Structure formats: C-alpha cells, structure tokens
Amino acid sequence: MTDTTSPMTLSHAEAATPIAPGRTPWKHEAIGFVLGFALLALLPLIFGDTYARHILIMAFIYAIVASNWDLSLGYGGVFNFGHLALFGIGVYAYSLLTKLAAFDPWVALFASGVIATLAAILVTIPILRLKGIYIILVTFGFAQLVMQVIISQSAITGGTQGLVRIPGLYVFDHNMVRDGKSAYFYIALALLVASTLFLRVFVRSRAGASIVALRDNEEYAISRGVSIVRQRMLTLAASAFFTGIAGAFYAAYQRNASIDVFGMSLATIILSMVLLGGTSTIYGAIIASFVLTIFAEWMADFGAWRPMITAVLIIGVMLAYPSGLVGMIKASWGALAGRLKRPA
Amino acid sequence: MSALAEILFGGLFQGSLYAMMAVGLALVWTTIGVFNFSHGVFMMLGAYIAWQLVELGLPAAVAFPVAVVVMAGVGWILQASVVRPLIGRPNIVLVVVITTLAAGSLIENGALTIWGPRSKQIPALIAGNTTIGGVGVSLHQIAIIVITPLILAALWMFLNRTRLGLALRAVAQNEDASHLVGLNVTALYGLAFAIAASLAGLAGIFMGGYRFMSPVMGSDPLLKALIVVVFGGISSISGPIFAAYLIGFFEAACSYYFGLYWTPALLFGVLILTLMVRPEGIFASRSRGLA
C-alpha cells in the first residue's frame, strides 16, 4: 500500500503551495488510495479468525484517531494534547446517548462526532492567543478537566468504574455477534476510508494550504489575509469530527466505556503513531498505526518486555529518521530506485 | 482553628513537594527549551533506588544522598541519549515530548520488572508524630516542610551567586552568545538535566517516606508540576516556587471545603482561566531567563 500512495513531501516550502511541482498529482494519489483500501477490504478473506480481525479493527480505530491528530499537530502545527479527550468525549457521548437517552446507535454515532467537534471549538477559544508549549499545557489541562468531570459525575458516567452493556451497532437484521466480526470490520474500514478521504481532500484544499502557511510563517500568512482565529478553529474542528466518531465506534464495538481512554498510556501510543509515521502526511499516521498495533500483538509473548522494546524502537526511529516511517520508506525507495536506474 | 491549621499545614506540605518537582521542569525548560515528560519517572526511580540501598543495609543518612547523586547521573544519561541528538531540529519540542515519554515508559516498565508491582515504603526522614494546633502530623512531613525551602534557597544561591550557576542562566538567556564566550553549552545542558533529576529523585524519597511507592507513582506529581509551572510562569525559578505553594494551599482549601473529587476539576478550571488572561503565568516577567 505504501509505495503506491507515495505521500506528499515533508518539505515545508513545497507543502505550503497547493500546486507545487513536487506534489503527487491527485490522479496518482486516487489510484493509490483505491488500491490501498481495496487491499485492506480483502484482508478478511485471508484472516478468517475473529482475533486477527479484532486486531485489524483496533488498528483501524487507532488509524482514524492518529491521522486526525496529524491534521492538527502536523499540518496545523497546533500542539493539541487534548486530542484523546475528543476521542473520549466520543466514547462517552455515544454511551450516554444510547444508554440514557435511548438514541438509535447510528444517530448517536453521528451525534458523537458533532459533540466532539463542538468540544474542539470550545477548547480552541483559550488557545487562540497561545503558542507552542502553552498550547500543550492548556489542551492537556482540558483533557484532565474532562476526565475529572466524568469521574466526579459517577452517578451518570459510572465514574472510575466506567459503563457496561452499551448498545452496539446494527446492520438490518444481520447478526453482529456470530459473523466473525466481519460487519464491524467493514464498518471500521468504511469509517477509516471516509476519514482519510476527508483529511486528504482537506489538506489539499486552499484551507489546508492556509493552515500550513500559518504554521510555517504566521506573520506572513496573516499579512496575506489568512485569519488565524478562523483557521485554527477550523483545524481543530475538522480534526475532531472523525475522532469523535471513532470514539463512538470504539464504545459500540467494545460495548463498554472506561476513563482509561483519557490516560497517558493511550495518548502516548497514539502520539507515537503520529510521530513514528511522520507528521504532515496523514498516510504516515495510518501506516504507523498498523505497524505498531500488529507489532504489539506480534510481541505479546514478551510480556513485560513489550512496552520496553516498543519504547526503544520509538526512540531509535525518532533519532535516526526524524521524518518517521514515511521518511524511512522514501529514503529506502529512493536508494532502490537509484540502484535500478544506474545499470540502464 | 483546626480547619485553618489543617489547610495551612496541608498547603505547606503539598506545596513543598510540588515546588521540588516544578523547579526541575522549569530548569530544563529554560535552559534547553524542551519539556521533560520523564520527570515523573525520575521521581519514582529516585525513591526506588533509595529503597534498594536501604534494603541492602545502608543507613538512610547514606542511602538518600547516594540515591540523589545516582539520579543526577541518570538525568545526564537521559539528556545525552534522547535530548541532545535532537537539538537543532526544527520540531524539537514535539519530538522531545515523544522521546522523553518513551524513555519514561522504558524506565517505568524496567522498574516494574526489577522491583515488581508490590507497594514499598522507605524509612521516614524522622520517625514519629506530633500535634500542632489540634492537627496530628508526622515529623517526616514537618521535616519536608523545613528542608524544601533550604534546598530551593541553595539552588537560588547556586544560580545567582556561583560562576557555574551564572553560566547556566547565560545559556538560558542566549545560547549563541554563550557559545561565543566559550561556555560548554553541551555540558551545561547535561547539568540542567542532572540537577532536575536529582531534585525529582529527592521529591520521590520524600514521598516514599509517607506513602506507598509504586512504579507509576510519578505520573500524578508530573501532572501537578506541569500545572504549577504553567501557573507560575515557565520562564523563571521563583515563579514556579511561589505557584507551587499557592496551588498547595488552593488544593488543601478546596479538598477541605468542596471535597477530594472536585479539587482536580477546580484546579484545571483555574489553570485554563489563568492562561486565557495571562498566558505567560502569573509570576512571570515577559522575558525568558532563569531566577
């Protein structure tokens, strides 16, 4: 999948202009996109057992969360450390809407995306004037605030105990439990396709170019008429919708909700997916989500050593390839292409 | 009377611990311009090393200083391995967040493997209890309240009155100029991390003396130290110290009047409001520099 899509270059100068020569033509990208996701859609034919499909579904959810984070963190340059709170809001919005308000699961799924978007707009207000590390701290504080409110309102949210028996999704009369998870697999894949399509169209649009311009040269972008207030809100809101939906899907799939989604460990995993993949690519985060999720499963036998090996690998990749896995793939692809060309 | 004494005592005690943690974070931020997310893990490691030394039969008076010195070495090594190679990269702030988080996870899981998940406790600085103003307190906590300001004052003296401390502040203010006057900037970066790590280790020893230790004991203090640093302003040493005590009192008062559950929510609410009004922190001057 990786070599067919060839994500756009990381160079800021090139990324800032929508029609720079170094960019992949949209037709090439569309072909890679369709081929890549068609391959993913064929995976249940190879992996028949429920557990392998479960791993893939989790990888899809992580991929949605990580790639949306790449929009605000990578393209927007907004160090939003409350991204996982938006995911958590999706989880709890879905759980409470279906359990307490008896919403239809699909309506609740969509509503969770909207609620996460509203929350993102709300959190943008205090960070409009802030830069860099201060944004990290406020958004981090926001995430903690949401978690603390959920813990303290235990009568509704279940507090630290969490919620169980959350209604799952349905597809007509299809039996969601006895189909080897194939329905959930294709719903998760469809969500990932929709989210990725949305993100790629967004970053290739004029709005996408303007948020990159704000990141790379704020004064110049503002002087050329880009509104930092509007674009920052747009960035955060755009990154929140599918994140919230992913949270809702996660709750529907797991059938329970717990405050673990606000914890540092999940945030660290997802953040390493974004950075390991290479920021400002969208595809990088998705690839890294697959790599890390499958890698974590593959190392299940190592027990306590697993998080340590993962940590060492993350540090190693970050030190050797600052532009992440995508940079690594590009470097090796470039070397390979150079070697193939030479004899001719 | 007893309510006031309880809030005053709780505030002083929590404030001391927060100050020890926050000063290290601020020191690293001002000199290197990065946020060290393994700072909480330093605290945990300091406590475990002290516990191990006491377990080996060393008296506490020897074990604690040795643990603090070992932590300085750990800080130096961490800086050299996951921070220094990244200096000069355009996205250093973000990449250091992930490398220090990963290093923290490595150390945390390492501690879990070596020492196991069972809770441990290290001997108190001074054993015994007493009653002040109708509130029962342990002598260990009083020792912390007394020792912390002395250590912070010593740090202030070091940064303002010694050549090495002044060099550290010079790097914080202007790295290029420091290079030009012949300061060893790389070594000073290491020194900032070493001091931060030993302060965190000491905070861990303090904490391990009155509460059970676990490999994840550092994550909550790290969070609190982050709040303190934001609240007090990131660009100085004195700002976070004042803020640490202020937040200590705020927490003590909140948990007395509103209960333990609402305290963190109120704290974060105040934090976000502070940043909206004064993004540079309440005690900060507008320039970046130490002390």
Side-chain angles (χ1 to χ4, degrees):
Chain A
M1 192 190 81
T2 54
D3 39 50
T4 49
T5 47
S6 73
M8 70 184 234
T9 165
L10 264 177
S11 157
H12 291 173
E14 284 175 24
T17 41
I19 24 173
R23 276 169 64 98
T24 318
W26 71 265
K27 270 186 188 164
H28 291 195
E29 189 179 330
I31 294 169
F33 187 95
V34 171
L35 280 178
F37 282 109
L39 276 178
L40 288 180
L42 294 176
L43 282 179
L45 300 180
I46 308 165
F47 299 105
D49 68 306
T50 333
Y51 188 68
R53 288 177 187 179
H54 166 73
I55 301 303
L56 286 167
I57 292 170
M58 293 311 290
F60 290 164
I61 296 173
Y62 290 151
I64 296 173
V65 182
S67 58
N68 277 282
W69 203 353
D70 190 23
L71 177 64
S72 56
L73 198 68
Y75 285 92
V78 182
F79 294 168
N80 173 21
F81 272 52
H83 190 74
L84 264 291
L86 301 173
F87 179 73
I89 286 170
V91 169
Y92 274 90
Y94 177 87
S95 313
L96 296 177
L97 285 176
T98 50
K99 249 183 103 93
L100 296 181
F103 268 51
D104 179 86
W106 286 102
V107 176
L109 187 85
F110 183 78
S112 306
V114 175
I115 291 170
T117 311
L118 293 177
I121 291 172
L122 197 70
V123 77
T124 319
I125 297 168
I127 63 168
L128 284 174
R129 284 173 62 201
L130 304 180
K131 275 185 183 163
I133 198 89
Y134 295 102
I135 295 183
I136 296 187
L137 299 164
V138 175
T139 49
F140 200 71
F142 164 75
Q144 294 299 318
L145 188 66
V146 173
M147 183 174 91
Q148 297 298 344
V149 167
I150 289 175
I151 292 176
S152 57
Q153 298 300 307
S154 53
I156 308 165
T157 59
T160 48
Q161 307 270 311
L163 291 167
V164 288
R165 280 193 284 161
I166 292 161
L169 293 169
Y170 63 91
V171 184
F172 304 111
D173 308 334
H174 182 77
N175 188 329
M176 303 291 280
V177 184
R178 300 230 176 96
D179 66 345
K181 292 192 194 288
S182 51
Y184 273 114
F185 177 90
Y186 284 109
I187 295 169
L189 182 61
L191 289 177
L192 178 62
V193 170
S195 157
T196 311
L197 190 66
F198 168 75
L199 289 172
R200 287 303 303 174
V201 168
F202 183 83
V203 298
R204 292 185 81 119
S205 70
R206 283 186 70 84
S210 73
I211 65 165
V212 173
L214 276 174
R215 176 195 70 188
D216 290 342
N217 195 334
E218 193 178 302
E219 285 78 13
Y220 186 58
I222 291 172
S223 74
R224 291 297 301 267
V226 179
S227 158
I228 188 163
V229 172
R230 201 182 59 216
Q231 296 311 93
R232 195 170 267 187
M233 246 176 209
L234 184 68
T235 313
L236 271 272
S239 75
F241 183 69
F242 278 101
T243 307
I245 288 196
F249 176 80
Y250 180 77
Y253 174 65
Q254 298 275 10
R255 307 289 303 274
N256 60 50
S258 86
I259 50 158
D260 290 350
V261 292
F262 294 99
M264 276 300 276
S265 53
L266 186 63
T268 310
I269 293 169
I270 306 274
L271 183 65
S272 24
M273 287 169 180
V274 178
L275 295 179
L276 199 62
T279 49
S280 309
T281 56
I282 302 295
Y283 296 119
I286 297 174
I287 295 167
S289 309
F290 294 158
V291 170
L292 271 186
T293 314
I294 293 162
F295 186 73
E297 274 317 310
W298 182 58
M299 289 200 313
D301 297 339
F302 287 88
W305 289 94
R306 186 168 73 174
M308 286 193 262
I309 298 171
T310 314
V312 169
L313 282 175
I314 288 171
I315 294 172
V317 172
M318 291 323 295
L319 291 183
Y321 293 97
S323 50
L325 287 175
V326 164
M328 192 165 96
I329 289 164
K330 280 190 139 182
S332 44
W333 179 248
L336 190 70
R339 190 166 294 179
L340 288 176
K341 267 178 196 161
R342 210 163 296 145
Chain B
M1 181 57 210
S2 118
L4 187 69
E6 202 160 301
I7 291 168
L8 204 65
F9 178 76
L12 274 175
F13 174 62
Q14 287 296 333
S16 306
L17 281 179
Y18 294 162
M20 290 284 275
M21 288 292 285
V23 160
L25 267 187
L27 190 67
V28 166
W29 165 256
T30 38
T31 37
I32 313 185
V34 297
F35 237 80
N36 173 22
F37 273 84
S38 45
H39 201 64
V41 174
F42 283 165
M43 177 179 180
M44 176 277 294
L45 193 61
Y48 270 92
I49 290 173
W51 178 85
Q52 186 65 62
L53 292 173
V54 170
E55 200 73 352
L56 289 174
L58 285 177
V62 180
F64 293 173
V66 169
V68 170
V69 171
V70 171
M71 283 315 296
V74 171
W76 187 293
I77 292 168
L78 192 99
Q79 185 272 151
S81 53
V82 306
V83 178
R84 197 188 296 163
L86 299 163
I87 285 166
R89 296 240 184 104
N91 55 349
I92 176 171
V93 174
L94 201 57
V95 179
V96 166
V97 170
I98 198 70
T99 52
T100 51
L101 269 176
S105 149
L106 183 68
I107 298 173
E108 197 174 288
N109 286 291
L112 193 65
T113 313
I114 297 170
W115 289 294
R118 271 177 69 184
S119 308
K120 298 175 171 43
Q121 200 161 21
I122 42 183
L125 297 169
I126 309 167
N129 295 296
T130 183
T131 312
I132 300 173
V135 184
V137 292
S138 72
L139 291 174
H140 176 71
Q141 287 172 304
I142 291 174
I144 291 172
I145 292 173
V146 174
I147 294 172
T148 305
L150 294 178
I151 288 169
L152 295 176
L155 181 70
W156 190 88
M157 288 291 280
F158 167 73
L159 288 172
N160 285 283
R161 296 283 181 273
T162 65
R163 250 192 108 69
L164 197 56
L166 288 173
L168 208 56
R169 288 177 61 203
V171 174
Q173 278 172 9
N174 192 331
E175 196 190 315
D176 293 336
S178 313
H179 271 296
L180 283 176
V181 297
L183 292 177
N184 186 347
V185 173
T186 325
L188 289 167
Y189 281 168
L191 180 68
F193 250 89
I195 294 173
S198 39
L199 286 173
L202 191 59
I205 294 171
F206 285 174
M207 201 154 140
Y210 81 100
R211 206 181 266 178
F212 285 111
M213 298 153 43
S214 78
V216 293
M217 67 188 270
S219 58
D220 192 53
L222 171 68
L223 213 75
K224 291 286 163 54
L226 281 173
I227 300 170
V228 165
V229 169
V230 181
F231 199 67
I234 217 157
S235 56
S236 67
I237 291 294
S238 49
I241 294 175
F242 291 132
Y245 284 102
L246 200 67
I247 285 181
F249 288 126
F250 179 82
E251 266 198 343
C254 270
S255 51
Y256 189 84
Y257 291 111
F258 301 107
L260 213 54
Y261 268 132
W262 276 107
T263 309
L266 283 169
L267 194 58
F268 283 109
V270 170
L271 170 81
I272 290 174
L273 275 179
T274 312
L275 278 164
M276 285 173 76
V277 182
R278 265 186 80 91
E280 65 280 352
I282 33 174
F283 299 111
S285 60
R286 275 165 197 277
S287 67
R288 187 181 130 178
L290 276 174

